[in-house]
């Protein structure tokens, strides 16, 4: 059976009510806003810098004197780890203090007010 003949087996088209369409649009907008917040680059960058900062700071704390002597007496792992931690905390604080605004409705689409008591 071909795709063309399968389409014509169902003679009545499926109709969506205005309420169904509006509900679906609202649901998709909510999912889009959630995805935008989850995948905000500040969250990803901040999280990675905090994670790597913790690792490098622990390495810096446990460095031997020989490793510190290689870096001309500076505990470079400790200072780099602390810097990474501070940068990661900065990104996460920025995310918390200035969250991603919800998406604006598309331009060019007029918003039609729903008349009370009118259902189509």
């Amino acid at each position: 059976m071909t795709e063309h003949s399968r389409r014509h087996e169902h003679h009545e088209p499926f109709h969506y009510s205005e309420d169904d369409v509006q509900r679906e649009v609202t649901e998709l907008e909510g999912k889009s806003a959630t995805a935008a917040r989850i995948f905000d680059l500040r969250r990803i960058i901040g999280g990675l810098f905090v994670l790597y900062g913790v690792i490098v700071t622990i390495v810096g704390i446990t460095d031997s004197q020989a490793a510190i002597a290689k870096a001309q007496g500076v505990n470079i792992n400790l200072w780099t780890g602390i810097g990474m931690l501070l940068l990661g905390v900065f990104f996460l604080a920025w995310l918390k203090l200035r969250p991603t605004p919800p998406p604006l409705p598309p331009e060019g689409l007029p918003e039609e007010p729903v008349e009370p008591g009118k259902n189509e």
Side-chain angles (χ1 to χ4, degrees):
M1 188 180 286
T2 66
E3 181 68 27
H4 182 69
S5 61
R6 271 189 245 146
R7 271 192 241 146
H8 289 291
E9 284 180 353
H10 302 300
H11 293 289
E12 60 182 68
F14 188 76
H15 293 287
Y16 290 101
S17 71
E18 186 66 32
D19 290 336
D20 291 338
V21 172
Q22 186 62 36
R23 190 176 322 112
E24 185 73 20
V25 167
T26 304
E27 184 180 318
L28 288 173
E29 285 175 345
K31 286 180 182 178
S32 174
T34 301
R37 283 190 297 273
I38 289 172
F39 296 109
D40 190 337
L41 285 178
R42 295 174 293 181
R43 180 182 314 267
I44 296 168
I45 292 170
L48 286 174
F49 267 100
V50 167
L51 175 68
Y52 293 144
V54 167
I55 293 169
V56 174
T57 301
I58 291 171
V59 169
I61 291 171
T62 60
D63 266 347
S64 66
Q65 285 299 327
I68 295 172
K70 281 185 196 178
Q72 298 179 354
V74 176
N75 192 340
I76 194 70
N77 287 330
L78 179 65
W79 288 110
T80 302
I82 291 171
M84 292 174 80
L85 278 172
L86 290 175
L87 184 62
V89 168
F90 167 76
F91 271 96
L92 295 175
W94 179 20
L95 176 69
K96 187 75 169 167
L97 297 173
R98 303 270 317 222
T100 305
L104 297 173
E107 292 184 28
L109 293 178
E111 294 202 16
E112 299 175 9
V114 178
E115 296 176 22
K118 183 179 179 182
N119 288 334
E120 294 180 20

